[in-house]
């Protein structure tokens, strides 16, 4: 299960339900037409027919129903991965492979923390490709940045049994291995004769773990609630945890995002003075791991402020292996999925973020200063000053970005917000007071560089009640999730990502058309084209969306994978299956090289199936050796003979 699934509030796939519709609209149309997408099925069909009758999409249809040229995979589920015909998906790096030059070979029967600190970590999620040389558009040489979100104790240690219970049996020595398997890897990679490989002993190679020293900056740094006995200054912290997705900055640094940090902490949170704060963030006695038993800092009774030092966006420079990672508190504290940037026309940097929890919010941060493309150092602390906004999506199709600023509206001392630091440490509580729109678990929030519109992956939410339904989250028991598109206004002909208002529209409603209530795609989406639980996404240079899923209905014989679709023109929302993951795995971090000829994918938690153990896993992907458990790995997808992916 993913940490999302480890959250007791999050359920897995549920029974199919009745009724559906498809979405016939062709959508490079203006806002009025976009709003039509939120009408009922009958109205939507009529709107689509009207558009076709007007002849608008005819030209596009003549060019083919979709611009994607690959032959779709059939839906399925088995022990290995599959990619569309004519493509290759080669394993680039696996859990336990060498990252630092002096890393020992993986010995699965004798894992140690010192070895794991030099080896590729577990459960790869976010992927970022940073070209070498820096600032170039090189597509055959670069740094690959990979998050390691969490570990499956039951699949890395012998004798612990299956499922979540295994994590509770972990010894102190094993917990140290787990801390070392978290974090992030930087590896130098190169493509030679069409195939990617890791450059051994690359000078940029780096591991960041759950114990790597890092600093805390921005308005919450040094606040009393950030101080611990190990760090009376409130400005230094050991490690980052549950780094899920991420992003990069225009100056080439990495933004790696802490998500379900709450699960590592334990102790009697309910009896502590900060019980309310803990509760809003899910910190409770029910720790998911054994760490609380072995290390005082994970016990809130012993170190009540340690959880406040997690749940942040962490920035570091992958081109400098000695750079100290920085937790940038100005971007808010919550269960960050990712953090992706878009530039406003005036040069301010806008960072979009999702808080992955049922009923939580979509955020963006807008810097006060402007990006300076000529002076990299001048951008170094740009993310320490700016305004954090939370989104309110109205039923009339409007978006309001509400500023989370101490002293404004209800964010005052009498409501528990005596400073901007208080607002940021309890970002969720502040956003609650502003009446932000509770969403169906916001995962990636990412601007399409070709169109300037922003796509919000809403992975699922089976707990939305009928009275909680709104137009932007239109389904109760939303087991399959949906994708919302936010359309910023234009300034000087360019999308103004810094604007405080925008429009929104639904891109697709996931699930199986004809089976799941309200499932909605392009009307020509094939029987293999439907998907469940969108999580991460990437855009190619043509503006097409590549959607990675986490939570496909295994009970229905369907694996997670990658589905691609046009975002404009006739083929809009006509999703097609491109890649299928091995059983138990989600697909994360889709990432193109600048030339769109390689698509890197993170295959996370292969073998994470009920009953799966170290001794008898549900798959031994990718090695398929009887003495090797499954290994989370990055694969590089290329076209046989070369060429643009999906062209
Ligand atoms: Fe770690 Fe929101 O997925
Ligand atoms: Ca994950
Ligand atoms: Ca995710
Ligand atoms: Ca997820």
């Amino acid at each position: 299960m993913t940490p999302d699934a480890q959250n007791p509030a999050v359920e897995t796939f549920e029974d199919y339900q009745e009724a559906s519709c498809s979405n016939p609209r062709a959508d490079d149309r203006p806002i009025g037409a976009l709003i039509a997408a939120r009408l009922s099925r009958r109205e939507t069909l009529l709107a689509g027919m009207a558009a076709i009758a007007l002849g608008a999409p005819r030209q596009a249809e003549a060019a083919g129903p979709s611009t994607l040229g690959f032959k779709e995979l059939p839906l399925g589920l088995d022990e290995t991965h599959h990619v569309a015909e004519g493509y290759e998906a080669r394993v680039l790096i696996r859990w336990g492979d060498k990252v630092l030059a002096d890393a020992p070979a993986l010995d699965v029967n004798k894992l140690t923390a010192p070895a794991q600190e030099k080896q590729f970590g577990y459960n790869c999620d976010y992927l970022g490709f940073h070209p070498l040389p820096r600032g170039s558009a090189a597509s055959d040489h670069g740094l690959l940045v990979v998050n390691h979100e969490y570990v499956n104790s039951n699949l890395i240690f012998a004798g612990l049994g299956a499922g979540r219970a295994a994590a509770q049996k972990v010894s102190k020595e094993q917990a140290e291995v787990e801390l070392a398997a978290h974090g992030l890897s930087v590896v130098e990679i190169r493509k030679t004769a069409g195939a990617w490989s890791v450059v051994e002993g690359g000078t940029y190679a780096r591991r960041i773990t759950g114990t790597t020293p890092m600093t805390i900056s921005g308005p919450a740094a040094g606040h009393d609630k950030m101080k611990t006995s190990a760090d009376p200054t409130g400005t230094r912290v050991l490690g980052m945890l549950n780094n899920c997705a991420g992003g990069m900055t225009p100056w080439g640094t990495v933004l790696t995002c802490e998500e379900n940090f709450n699960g590592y902490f334990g102790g009697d949170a309910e009896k502590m003075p900060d019980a309310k704060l803990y509760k809003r963030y899910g910190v409770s006695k029910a720790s998911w791991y054994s760490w609380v038993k072995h290390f005082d800092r994970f016990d809130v009774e012993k170190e009540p402020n340690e959880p406040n030092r997690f749940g942040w966006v962490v920035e570091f420079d992958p081109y400098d292996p000695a750079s100290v990672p920085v937790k940038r508190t100005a971007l808010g504290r919550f269960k960050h999925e990712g953090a992706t940037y878009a530039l406003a026309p005036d040069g301010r940097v806008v960072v979009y973020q999702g808080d992955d929890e049922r009923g939580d919010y979509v955020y963006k941060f807008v810097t006060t200063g402007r990006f300076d493309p000529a002076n990299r150092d001048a951008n170094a602390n740009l993310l320490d000053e700016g305004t954090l906004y939370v989104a309110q999506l109205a039923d009339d199709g409007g978006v309001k970005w509400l500023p989370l600023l101490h002293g404004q509206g209800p964010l005052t001392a009498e409501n528990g917000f005596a400073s901007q630091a208080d607002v940021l440490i309890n970002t969720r509580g502040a956003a609650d007071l502003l009446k932000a729109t509770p969403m169906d678990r916001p995962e990636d929030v990412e601007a399409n560089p070709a169109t300037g519109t922003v796509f919000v992956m809403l992975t699922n939410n089976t707990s939305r009640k009928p009275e909680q339904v709104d137009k932007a989250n239109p389904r109760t028991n939303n087991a399959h999730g949906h994708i919302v598109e936010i359309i910023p206004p234009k300034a000087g002909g360019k999308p103004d990502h810094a604007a405080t208002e925008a429009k929104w529209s639904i891109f697709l409603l996931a699930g199986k058309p004809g089976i799941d209530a309200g499932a909605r795609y392009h009307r020509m989406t094939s029987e293999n084209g439907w998907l469940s639980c969108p999580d991460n996404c990437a855009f190619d240079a043509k503006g097409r969306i590549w959607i990675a899923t986490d939570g496909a209905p295994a009970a229905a014989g369907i694996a997670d994978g990658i589905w691609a679709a046009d975002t404009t023109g006739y083929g809009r929302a006509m999703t097609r299956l491109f890649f299928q993951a091995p059983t138990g795995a989600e697909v994360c971090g889709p990432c193109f090289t600048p030339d769109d000829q390689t698509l890197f994918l993170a295959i996370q938690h292969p073998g994470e199936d009920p009953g799966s153990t170290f001794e008898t896993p549900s798959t031994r992907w990718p090695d398929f050796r009887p003495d090797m458990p499954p290994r989370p790995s990055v694969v590089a997808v290329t076209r046989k003979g070369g060429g643009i992916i999906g062209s």
Side-chain angles (χ1 to χ4, degrees), residues 247-251 255 339-343 349-352 371 445-447:
M248 56 181 76
T249 63
W251 50 97
L255 300 177
T340 62
Y341 85 88
L343 277 179
V349 182
V350 180
V351 182
Y352 287 103
F371 167 54
V445 182
E446 190 147 348

Side-chain angles (χ1 to χ4, degrees), residues 46-234:
L46 288 172
M49 286 191 296
I52 289 165
L54 289 170
R58 240 185 228 153
Q59 236 178 333
E61 193 168 20
S66 165
T67 69
L68 288 155
F70 64 85
K71 188 176 163 202
E72 220 180 355
L73 284 173
L75 286 170
L77 175 66
D78 58 36
E79 287 184 36
T80 194
H81 67 275
H82 302 269
V83 67
E85 197 179 296
Y87 290 82
E88 286 174 299
R90 293 197 181 103
V91 173
L92 175 65
I93 188 164
R94 305 161 295 183
W95 164 59
D97 280 344
K98 196 179 263 204
V99 171
L100 302 188
D102 58 347
L106 175 68
D107 179 352
V108 287
N109 296 307
K110 202 180 164 193
L111 303 179
T112 69
Q116 180 64 85
E117 279 165 6
K118 297 174 177 180
Q119 297 163 336
F120 196 65
Y122 207 76
N123 274 345
C124 37
D125 199 298
Y126 170 75
L127 301 177
F129 180 80
H130 294 248
L132 283 170
R134 176 166 61 77
S136 74
S139 291
D140 56 1
H141 188 203
L143 304 176
L144 192 68
V145 173
V146 186
N147 276 356
H148 301 299
E149 188 179 12
Y150 69 106
V151 295
N152 293 84
S153 314
N154 57 318
L155 298 178
I156 67 170
F157 298 121
L160 298 188
R164 290 174 67 176
Q168 305 293 337
K169 300 176 197 163
V170 158
S171 68
K172 183 170 187 187
E173 202 182 0
Q174 290 172 324
E176 282 164 352
V177 173
E178 292 186 335
L179 270 158
H182 280 67
L184 177 146
S185 294
V186 179
V187 287
E188 183 179 341
I189 57 172
R190 192 187 285 280
K191 189 164 82 168
T192 312
W196 286 93
S197 58
V198 174
V199 177
E200 272 215 23
T203 51
Y204 300 98
R206 180 170 193 181
R207 275 302 322 279
I208 295 173
T209 73
T211 58
T212 302
M214 37 192 83
T215 60
I216 299 168
S217 76
H223 187 274
D224 281 349
K225 281 205 185 309
M226 300 292 277
K227 294 174 181 168
T228 63
S229 54
D231 171 30
T233 69

Side-chain angles (χ1 to χ4, degrees), residues 1-4 123-126 149-150 242-245 259-260 337 356 443 535-536 550 586-588 604-605 608:
M1 76 195 82
T2 64
D4 315 331
N123 274 345
C124 37
D125 199 298
Y126 170 75
E149 188 179 12
Y150 69 106
N242 213 267
N243 291 65
C244 190
E259 196 186 42
N260 293 291
E337 173 70 19
D356 182 3
E443 300 254 24
D535 188 326
N536 298 135
D550 172 20
E586 67 171 286
V587 182
C588 304
Q604 187 179 159
H605 54 76
E608 190 184 81

